[in-house]
Amino acid sequence: MSRWRILILLSIMGSLFLIAASTMFGWEPWSSLSFLRDGSFGPPPFVHRLAFDRLEPTLAAALVSLFTMYLFGVLALFAFPRQMAYMERSLPEALPGLLRATLLGLLMALVITAIAISASLTAATFPLTILLTGALFVSALLGYLALSYGLGRRLLARAGWQHLSPLYGLMLGLLITFALAELPLLGAIFKALFASLGTGLVVLTRFGSGKPWSLQPLLED
């Protein structure tokens, strides 16, 4: 067995462990930022707060959330195969490219947020707030799914399993990224990075169409 196949198996086991541990120890990525304020990572370990009764529902909720994301990803792959494939192929592998796409996504999120806040100030433009917020969410989600699919597909290719169904690549990538987002404190950072990179990927590829951003079509007769 090649080292890449061993790495994939270890990644799967490690991801499942992180997801289970996040429920057992009450890791909440966003609320764990309270560490910066009061010096604690939130609630004490489950053995000290009698959380055994909450363990199964919480773990089940995490697994259901992961499964729901996977089903939506499957739907996206079947509904937009060309667009998802183009976004996956456009995913940079070098660090400078990843940083550029992440910063672009962050900038786009800030611009849309500013417009959405401005639109919420009057009743006439308030619907734009809902529209823009929804568009930003969908863009980040589709980009995140393309990112997860690209990660899983490239790992499988390194292991010699490139001929497997794309659904396996999506499953592997989602499992890894979902587990990383469950880490205490770091999970919040990973979520922000994944959302920004996903949005940047969508913007760079013009929603997976591969066409450039241009006003030229408006000048054509």
Side-chain angles (χ1 to χ4, degrees), residues 139-213:
S139 298
L141 180 58
L142 289 177
Y144 165 68
L145 291 173
L147 165 66
S148 299
Y149 167 60
L151 173 62
R153 180 178 178 275
R154 294 177 191 191
L155 285 175
L156 291 177
R158 291 292 184 93
W161 290 333
Q162 63 270 20
H163 300 299
L164 292 177
S165 169
L167 301 184
Y168 288 103
L170 175 65
M171 182 186 301
L172 176 60
L174 268 179
L175 180 61
I176 295 174
T177 55
F178 188 89
L180 290 175
E182 293 299 310
L183 289 170
L185 188 59
L186 291 177
I189 298 175
F190 276 117
K191 283 186 176 182
L193 287 176
F194 292 153
S196 297
L197 180 56
T199 304
L201 189 60
V202 168
V203 173
L204 283 174
T205 61
R206 198 183 178 188
F207 295 92
S209 67
K211 298 178 181 179
W213 293 94

Side-chain angles (χ1 to χ4, degrees), residues 206 212-221:
R206 198 183 178 188
W213 293 94
S214 173
L215 297 179
Q216 185 60 35
L218 298 175
L219 301 176
E220 298 175 356
D221 295 331

